[in-house]
Amino acid sequence: MTFRIFFPIIILIAFSISISAQSNNETLKIFGYFQNQFEDSGNPRTDERRNSFLLQQLNLFLQRDFQLKWSAFVNFELVNSFSSADRYGAFKLEEAWIKYRYDKRLQVRLGLQIPTFNHLNLLKNRTPLLPYVTRPLVYEESLEDIIVIEEYIPSIAFAQTYGVLPLGSAKFDYAVYLGNSPNLSTLDDRGRSGADTTRTFLVGSRFGVRYQDLKTGISLTHDKVNRFMELALQVGDTLPALEEMQRIRLGFDLEYRLGAFVFNGEYIGVFYDEPTELARFDKSFFYGTLGWQLTEPLMVYGSIWQTRTYENRQAAPGDVNPRPLSQFQTTVQSTSVGLVYQMNDRVRLKGQFVNLDQSNDSPRFTAGTDFQIYSAAISVTF
Amino acid sequence: MRLIQSLIIGSVLFLSAAYGQVAVVAHKSVPVKQLSKSELFDIYAGETQLWEGDLPIQVYDLKSQEDTKKMFYRFIGKSISRMKSIWMVNMLSGEGDPPKTVVNEEEMIKLILETPGAIGYLPKALVHDSLNVLLLIE
C-alpha cells in the first residue's frame, strides 16, 4: 500500500526534477544586435551632398539547445529602417535551422541557413563583428536593391555538414552544402513562392586551414542560372541558349595576425559557361583590409575592394536587330579608412570614410562618378 | 571575520600573482586528468563542448582583468580581446555561448564545486583537494 502511494510520487518528483533540469539547460535564448548610422555622402565634383540617419540593420535571434547535441536557431533581419507602413526597408527570415553536433569534427545543419563561403559570408550580417559601417560591396546587405549580392556569393543553403579536423598542430575546416538554384519563383501572380523552378541545385563547399595566427581557405559553388534568358531574345538566340547556364563561383580567403596587426583578404571569381560569344557575364571581386589594434578597445584600419563586371549592351538602343552586343567592362573600386572603438562588450562605435570610383571602358563613358561617404555608427548587441 | 578572510585571500592572490602560478581546475565529475594547451584553447574557444561521456562542459571566466586572467590567456596564446571576439562570433552564429563570468576567485571555486562538468582557472595557492587540477601554468 505504502509502495502504491509513494511510487507515483517518487516518479512525479523524479520527472519534475528532470523537467526542471531540462528547462534550466534548454531555455529559449533571445538576443540580437542593431546598427544605427549617420551618413553624409555625395560627389565631390558636383558638390551635391545628402545626409541621413538610418537604422542600417537589426537582427533578432531565437536559440534553443536541447538534448545535449541538438539546437535550433532562428534569425530575423530588418534592414534600412524597415517600416511596412512607409514601404521602405526590408524584413526577412534570414535563417531557421536545426543543428546536430556529433562533436567538433561533424556537425549537420538542416533548414534555411547562410552557407559557408570565404571568410566573410557567414559574418557579413553580424555587424558587431565587423569594423565597417559600409561593408565591402558584395557583402553589403543594405545595398541589395542596388547590387544582386547572390551574383557573387551563395546566400542560402538548406543542408550543410561542417566541422574541424586536427591536422598535426594545424586545424582543417570543411563545409559542404546544398541549396536551391537561384531561379526561384518571384512571380506576383503565382504568389512569389520562392520555390526552385529548376531541377538543379546549388552545391558548394569551403575547405580551409588554421595554423596559429593564419587562417585561409578556398570555396567553390556550382549552380545553374536562368536569369539571362531575356537577353537571349535581344541577341536573337533561341531561349534555351541562355537557359540553365552553368555558373561556378570560386573564392579564396586569407586572415593573418601579426602582433597588433590583422590582415583580411578575399577573392571571388564568378565564371559562366556562356553558350554564345555575344554576351559575357563573368565577374570578379576582391577586398583587403589591414587593421591595427592601437589599444585594447581601439582599432584603426584601411581597406580596399574592387568589383569587375561586364555589361552587355545593345549596339544602338531600340535597334530591332541588335547583333552584336557591345561588351563593356565596369570597374567599381573603393578605398576606405575607419576606426572602431569598443566601449564595452556590448557597444561599439564606428567611423568610416569611403571613396568610391567607377570606371568603364565604354567610349561613351565619362569620368566623374566618384562618390564619397563619411559615416558613423553605433553597433549594439543585446 | 569576513575582513580576515578577505585579507587572507588577498594575500594568497598577491603571492600567487607574484610567483605566477595559475591552475586550471575542474569539477570532480570531469573524466579527464590533464589537458594540453591546445585542448584548453579548444574548450575556451567553444570548439569542444562536451567531455568524454557526453558531460556538458561549463566554462567559467574571471571578470576582473587581474594577473591571473592575463597569465591564463597569455598561456593560451590569445589576447583577452581576441577571445571575446571569438566568443562573439560563436554566439552570433548560434555555435555556442561565451563562458560564464564570475566576479572573483571565491565565486569561481564555489561554482566549479557545484557544477558537474565545470572548468575554470585559479591562482594555484587557492586550489584544494575537492578540485580536479588539469593543468598548472607556471
Side-chain angles (χ1 to χ4, degrees), chain A residues 101 104 109 126 162 171, chain B residues 42 47 81 92 95 97:
Chain A
R101 181 186 170 100
K104 66 181 176 183
R109 276 186 188 179
R126 273 62 174 174
Y162 61 103
K171 287 174 180 168
Chain B
D42 286 352
E47 284 187 12
S81 63
L92 298 184
E95 291 294 338
D97 297 329

Side-chain angles (χ1 to χ4, degrees), chain A residues 128-311:
Chain A
L129 303 174
L130 305 173
Y132 317 107
V133 182
T134 305
R135 288 158 278 193
L137 186 66
V138 306
Y139 291 111
E140 186 50 72
E141 288 264 302
S142 60
L143 297 178
E144 219 169 0
D145 52 345
I146 296 171
I147 177 174
V148 182
I149 288 176
E150 203 179 355
E151 291 278 306
Y152 293 88
I153 49 174
S155 299
I156 293 172
F158 281 86
Q160 180 167 214
T161 179
Y162 61 103
V164 186
L165 302 172
L167 195 71
S169 54
K171 287 174 180 168
F172 174 71
D173 296 309
Y174 75 92
V176 181
Y177 48 87
L178 200 62
N180 283 333
S181 78
N183 313 297
L184 304 181
S185 169
T186 54
L187 297 173
D188 283 327
D189 60 348
R190 293 184 188 175
R192 298 178 74 90
S193 66
D196 193 344
T197 57
T198 71
R199 282 172 296 174
T200 59
F201 286 112
L202 159 77
V203 181
S205 62
R206 179 182 179 275
F207 298 103
V209 174
R210 280 181 281 158
Y211 178 70
Q212 294 179 353
D213 292 319
L214 173 73
K215 180 184 167 191
T216 185
I218 54 169
S219 304
L220 192 68
T221 73
H222 174 270
D223 56 7
K224 289 185 175 177
V225 183
N226 274 340
R227 194 170 290 137
F228 305 105
M229 286 169 67
E230 198 176 291
L231 195 64
L233 290 172
Q234 288 181 23
V235 298
D237 250 320
T238 53
L239 278 176
L242 293 175
E243 192 178 12
E244 297 213 351
M245 200 159 54
Q246 185 168 267
R247 174 172 68 181
I248 288 174
R249 286 174 288 204
L250 177 68
F252 170 75
D253 63 90
L254 174 74
E255 179 183 288
Y256 184 64
R257 292 171 185 275
L258 183 65
F261 293 92
V262 57
F263 173 80
N264 272 295
E266 281 189 17
Y267 163 82
I268 298 171
V270 185
F271 307 101
Y272 288 89
D273 183 17
E274 296 101 340
T276 169
E277 291 179 1
L278 295 171
R280 195 170 172 193
F281 307 106
D282 292 354
K283 41 183 66 71
S284 66
F285 164 80
F286 75 80
Y287 89 85
T289 299
L290 182 64
W292 181 18
Q293 197 78 41
L294 276 173
T295 63
E296 185 87 12
L298 178 65
M299 188 180 92
V300 294
Y301 65 90
S303 184
I304 181 168
W305 59 252
Q306 186 187 83
T307 59
R308 281 192 175 184
T309 53
Y310 287 95
E311 282 182 48

Side-chain angles (χ1 to χ4, degrees), chain A residues 43 45-46 311 313 328-331 356-371:
Chain A
N43 185 332
R45 294 168 200 264
T46 60
E311 282 182 48
R313 291 186 193 164
F328 304 118
Q329 193 180 58
T330 301
T331 303
L356 278 168
D357 185 21
Q358 183 175 335
S359 61
N360 191 317
D361 61 7
S362 157
R364 280 179 281 176
F365 177 78
T366 51
T369 52
D370 286 359
F371 198 70

